[in-house]
Amino acid sequence: MSKVEIKDIFEIKSVSTPTVLPDGEGATYSVTYLDEESNDYVTNLFKFDGKESTQISYSKERISNVVHPPNGGRSLFIAKGAHGKPQIFLIGLNGGEREQLTREKDGVNSALFSKDGGKIYYHVSSEPLTEDALNDQEKAGEQDDKEKFPEPVIIDRMKYKSDSVGLLKEKYQSVKSVDLETKEEITLFSGKENYTLHAGAGGDMIIFSSDESVERDFNFSEKLFIKKGSGNSEEIVKGEGYVIKADVSPDDRYLLMTHIGREFENATHAQIILHDLEKGSSVSLTEELDKPVGDYVAGDTQQSVEMNPTVWISNTDFLFLVSEYGSVNLYAGNVNGGIRPLFQGAHHIYGMDACKDYAYLTISTPAHPGELYQFDLKNEELKPVTAVNAKYAGEKNLVVPEPVEYKSFDDTTVHGWLMKPADYEAGGKYPMVTNIHGGPHAFYANTYFHEMQVLAAKGYAVLYVNPRGSHSYSQQFVDAVRGDYGNGDYKDIMAGVDYVTEKYGWIDTDNLGVTGGSYGGFMTNWIVGHTDKFKAAVTQRSISNWVSFRGVSDIGYYFSDWQIKADFNDIETMWHHSPIKYVDKMDTPLLILHSEQDYRCPVEQGEQLFIALKYKKKETRFVRFPSADHNLSRTGRPSLRIERLEHLTSWFDEHLEHKTR
């Protein structure tokens, strides 16, 4: 068997987004691969008819939002149109040419069929039709060369930029519909608020939400409504927060909502709320479960994933995904309040759809990137559908991590994994790298993680744990990091390092490394400012200064309030939690990796830390990635993803010794 290599990202494919066919006799799914020649991602659509798979699309493009009509006919998907904007296309699953249905100036965000299949509802984001906006449209027609004739961006609100997008014009999401027979387009909802149509039901009944607020910059909630035909909209009363998904039961009696509230801000568990459309009453079905509904895994392999946390399989029964104890599992529920685990294990279910007989699941494990499976709901048996990554998994020396569990300083149980080096032999001494996830409200899981396998292939043990603040555990655990950055979470990680180094004598305690990205980058910075235990460190897309972060990050002004629990005037608290405050104590050689177009943790965070370290004559290096944002390690240009891993591993190779027996 051969060793895992960095460039293997071109061999690994991502199987994702299963979507059940209307007759229930199979499903479509996407396969995404990284194309080395174009330095881009390509997604193709496949159909499994219950017996075999057939490729449906062949173009070198990204497609998303695959939806099948309820009564057969052509399916829809979203891809770039002639002018580079995402548009709705129709395609027959048994062959034939695709048809471009929309030609929206600003593109289409998402789409779904009406319940009778005669219309498609879709979302577009556009500027309000003010006099200035109309003038801008006229200018655009006269003057297309924006580089030669640049224009200023006028900003009146705090939500004016977004990572992976850049500076935002004042746009709002509206809802439109198009009749598939007449091709007539109608705008259903528009205005100075963002509308989302969640579901259609019989008799022209629709479920939609709006984030209308007089305090737009401080609004992090939306209201949910039901509208029947030409009647007035009626609000479905719920708590503050966002609806991830809302879907009506087949008989139009119940509404199933996956909802994230505001009780613990962005640390709040997503719950399933069942609303009786006849009685007008609502009840939470998963509050007592004390685990979040959905998938919150931190990874670097799965592509083109679209979260689908719930699905109806009858008028009264449904399936849903739960993040629990480092896995994502399948659960069953019913309108009477009963819920039960249906398919649990050391795995990551990152895609799900179902009909009354089968669930179609895309599943990854620590030693396999992922495949599509059919789960029989009657006998509860799992059967593989694809073998897209079978050759890769069978030919590579993939390390299966060992689960670890230990007590932290306050007797809190912490869970994680330890990987041995791929070339491990008893009696040897091996360096170890501790890897810290971002979020902080994400979690490491029983999933394939290419970066971990690369480190193991290069001779390192790899420790990765879920400190307090991580998802897949209790609400108390995920909330415990807020207001306590650098204390309990830091101690959880260090307790893990102590636990494994004391238990396993083959780990070389003189050659320890640490790395992490985003929140994990913050923690890497914090660690090297508070201990000399590590001989080398790599910080990625990190936070170094909370005082400046709140004014430069796309989420800074509210994220700092929520996570550090420090308002604008509380400089002392923000500075206390800022790793750069402790630069005098940073003696560990530190490599700083940062993306130029990172709007989440802007590159100035890396700049500040680099200059401070160089000024203090510390060993450091700064690597900046052009044309890359906060998601470089997951969805960045393939060539830059390779460069990132090469810089990361080279730094550890340079500073950590690999001893032999």
Side-chain angles (χ1 to χ4, degrees):
M1 300 179 80
S2 59
K3 281 189 176 183
V4 170
E5 298 182 41
I6 292 173
K7 66 179 182 180
D8 286 355
I9 60 173
F10 294 113
E11 296 184 44
I12 299 169
K13 295 180 179 180
S14 179
V15 186
S16 63
T17 57
T19 307
V20 168
L21 297 171
D23 59 10
E25 294 299 318
T28 58
Y29 57 94
S30 298
V31 176
T32 301
Y33 66 92
L34 282 64
D35 185 62
E36 191 168 6
E37 181 181 359
S38 64
N39 198 28
D40 207 348
Y41 298 75
V42 175
T43 304
N44 292 130
L45 182 64
F46 289 74
K47 182 184 76 170
F48 173 66
D49 63 5
K51 297 179 181 179
E52 60 183 5
S53 290
T54 306
Q55 187 167 347
I56 303 299
S57 71
Y58 292 85
S59 299
K60 283 194 172 184
E61 62 183 348
R62 296 296 298 269
I63 67 171
S64 63
N65 197 116
V66 177
V67 186
H68 306 308
N71 302 315
R74 291 186 297 174
S75 301
L76 73 83
F77 65 88
I78 292 177
K80 286 184 179 180
H83 299 290
K85 296 292 185 180
Q87 305 291 350
I88 299 173
F89 289 82
L90 298 175
I91 190 170
L93 298 183
N94 295 318
E97 293 294 318
R98 67 174 69 183
E99 175 192 354
Q100 183 173 334
L101 185 65
T102 60
R103 285 168 175 79
E104 292 288 342
K105 173 178 171 290
D106 295 302
V108 174
N109 301 335
S110 59
L112 68 158
F113 280 98
S114 61
K115 187 164 186 177
D116 63 6
K119 291 183 290 190
I120 290 175
Y121 301 117
Y122 64 97
H123 302 95
V124 298
S125 294
S126 55
E127 296 177 67
L129 289 177
T130 62
E131 186 174 338
D132 288 342
L134 290 171
N135 289 336
D136 287 345
Q137 289 180 11
E138 290 177 9
K139 288 180 184 178
E142 301 168 359
Q143 183 175 295
D144 294 326
D145 194 341
K146 298 295 184 183
E147 291 186 10
K148 187 181 293 184
F149 299 96
E151 297 175 355
V153 178
I154 300 170
I155 297 166
D156 294 308
R157 55 182 181 166
M158 288 190 284
K159 294 178 182 176
Y160 71 90
K161 58 183 177 179
S162 177
D163 189 63
S164 79
V165 178
L167 295 181
L168 302 172
K169 287 189 174 183
E170 185 176 350
K171 291 185 176 182
Y172 299 94
Q173 180 167 277
S174 57
V175 179
K176 292 186 173 184
S177 71
V178 56
D179 187 292
L180 290 175
E181 184 177 346
T182 67
K183 299 299 188 289
E184 180 187 10
E185 295 182 4
I186 298 174
T187 299
L188 301 177
F189 305 107
S190 65
K192 286 193 172 184
E193 54 194 291
N194 293 298
Y195 289 97
T196 302
L197 195 148
H198 295 280
D204 281 338
M205 181 174 75
I206 54 176
I207 308 294
F208 71 96
S209 60
S210 164
D211 68 351
E212 182 182 16
S213 173
V214 295
E215 289 279 1
R216 298 204 60 82
D217 281 327
F218 295 97
N219 180 43
F220 304 98
S221 187
E222 61 186 353
K223 293 181 178 179
L224 192 66
F225 299 90
I226 181 171
K227 181 177 172 62
K228 299 177 181 178
S230 59
N232 294 328
S233 301
E234 298 177 13
E235 184 176 355
I236 298 173
V237 178
K238 66 176 187 63
E240 280 196 73
Y242 282 100
V243 176
I244 300 174
K245 184 182 180 183
D247 204 8
V248 179
S249 60
D251 63 358
D252 297 337
R253 170 69 188 272
Y254 298 100
L255 178 68
L256 201 63
M257 284 184 274
T258 306
H259 185 263
I260 298 182
R262 291 286 309 280
E263 297 91 337
F264 304 95
E265 300 299 357
N266 61 326
T268 308
H269 277 171
Q271 297 182 21
I272 292 179
I273 297 173
L274 182 73
H275 180 77
D276 189 319
L277 290 169
E278 287 187 6
K279 297 180 179 179
S281 58
S282 297
V283 61
S284 173
L285 300 181
T286 58
E287 185 175 7
E288 297 300 317
L289 188 61
D290 201 20
K291 299 291 188 298
V293 174
D295 172 11
Y296 305 93
V297 170
D300 67 352
T301 301
Q302 284 79 39
Q303 302 292 334
S304 305
V305 174
E306 299 172 18
M307 183 183 279
N308 186 32
T310 62
V311 61
W312 288 100
I313 57 172
S314 74
N315 291 331
T316 57
D317 299 287
F318 57 89
L319 305 181
F320 62 103
L321 298 179
V322 176
S323 292
E324 58 177 351
Y325 203 71
S327 289
V328 180
N329 291 319
L330 183 67
Y331 273 63
N334 60 61
V335 297
N336 296 318
I339 61 171
R340 68 180 181 92
L342 189 60
F343 180 50
Q344 293 176 300
H347 55 221
H348 172 204
I349 302 175
Y350 60 93
M352 182 269 291
D353 199 11
C355 57
K356 64 182 179 66
D357 296 320
Y358 300 104
Y360 290 90
L361 312 172
T362 47
I363 305 174
S364 175
T365 65
H368 199 292
E371 301 288 358
L372 175 66
Y373 295 83
Q374 183 190 68
F375 183 78
D376 191 313
L377 295 173
K378 292 179 181 178
N379 59 31
E380 299 186 9
E381 292 182 355
L382 190 71
K383 182 177 74 174
V385 172
T386 65
V388 170
N389 289 302
K391 183 173 183 291
Y392 179 81
E395 293 178 351
K396 293 290 181 175
N397 183 13
L398 299 174
V399 176
V400 178
E402 172 189 340
V404 296
E405 184 179 287
Y406 56 91
K407 296 291 186 179
S408 191
F409 70 101
D410 59 355
D411 213 35
T412 296
T413 299
V414 181
H415 170 230
W417 295 264
L418 176 68
M419 296 174 72
K420 288 181 177 178
D423 57 359
Y424 173 83
E425 292 183 7
K429 280 279 191 179
Y430 298 91
M432 183 180 79
V433 173
T434 298
N435 208 325
I436 306 165
H437 68 66
H441 309 309
F443 70 101
Y444 281 138
N446 288 300
T447 192
Y448 185 86
F449 209 120
H450 184 60
E451 181 175 315
M452 309 297 190
Q453 293 288 349
V454 165
L455 287 167
K458 287 185 173 291
Y460 298 98
V462 186
L463 174 67
Y464 52 110
V465 304
N466 287 326
R468 64 194 66 199
S470 304
H471 262 314
S472 83
Y473 308 97
S474 70
Q475 180 65 79
Q476 180 183 9
F477 187 86
V478 72
D479 186 55
V481 71
R482 295 198 308 128
D484 195 43
Y485 272 49
N487 183 36
D489 50 354
Y490 164 69
K491 292 175 181 177
D492 288 348
I493 294 166
M494 297 310 296
V497 175
D498 291 341
Y499 172 79
V500 297
T501 53
E502 290 171 7
K503 183 176 181 179
Y504 301 103
W506 52 265
I507 298 174
D508 185 355
T509 55
D510 292 328
N511 283 281
L512 301 177
V514 62
T515 187
S518 195
Y519 163 80
F522 155 82
M523 182 53 68
T524 299
N525 298 340
W526 185 268
I527 284 173
V528 298
H530 288 78
T531 180
D532 293 329
K533 184 182 286 285
F534 298 94
K535 195 175 179 181
V538 181
T539 184
Q540 308 171 60
R541 58 188 186 281
S542 75
I543 296 171
S544 65
N545 186 341
W546 287 103
V547 180
S548 63
F549 174 84
R550 73 173 301 131
V552 297
S553 168
D554 62 343
I555 63 173
Y557 74 92
Y558 59 88
F559 190 84
S560 300
D561 289 350
W562 295 353
Q563 292 293 314
I564 304 302
K565 294 189 175 180
D567 66 23
F568 183 81
N569 297 310
D570 193 356
I571 304 297
E572 183 178 350
T573 298
M574 287 186 284
W575 186 241
H576 167 74
H577 290 285
S578 297
I580 201 169
K581 174 184 177 181
Y582 309 97
V583 70
D584 285 333
K585 298 179 181 179
M586 293 185 182
D587 296 320
T588 304
L590 181 64
L591 174 64
I592 302 169
L593 305 180
H594 224 114
S595 297
E596 295 285 1
Q597 296 172 5
D598 190 335
Y599 280 68
R600 184 61 38 86
C601 298
V603 71
E604 64 87 31
Q605 293 287 302
E607 291 172 339
Q608 288 190 61
L609 185 58
F610 175 71
I611 293 299
L613 288 167
K614 294 297 284 188
Y615 185 81
K616 296 289 184 177
K617 302 189 185 306
K618 309 284 187 173
E619 184 179 354
T620 186
R621 181 181 297 156
F622 192 14
V623 180
R624 304 169 68 126
F625 295 90
S627 304
D629 58 27
H630 195 65
N631 293 303
L632 168 61
S633 66
R634 301 176 283 266
T635 59
R637 294 189 181 184
S639 63
L640 293 179
R641 289 180 60 183
I642 286 176
E643 287 274 1
R644 184 191 72 87
L645 285 174
E646 287 179 345
H647 282 289
L648 184 149
T649 54
S650 294
W651 188 259
F652 288 133
D653 290 344
E654 182 181 335
H655 291 87
L656 302 182
E657 296 179 35
H658 293 256
K659 299 177 181 177
T660 57
R661 285 183 290 175

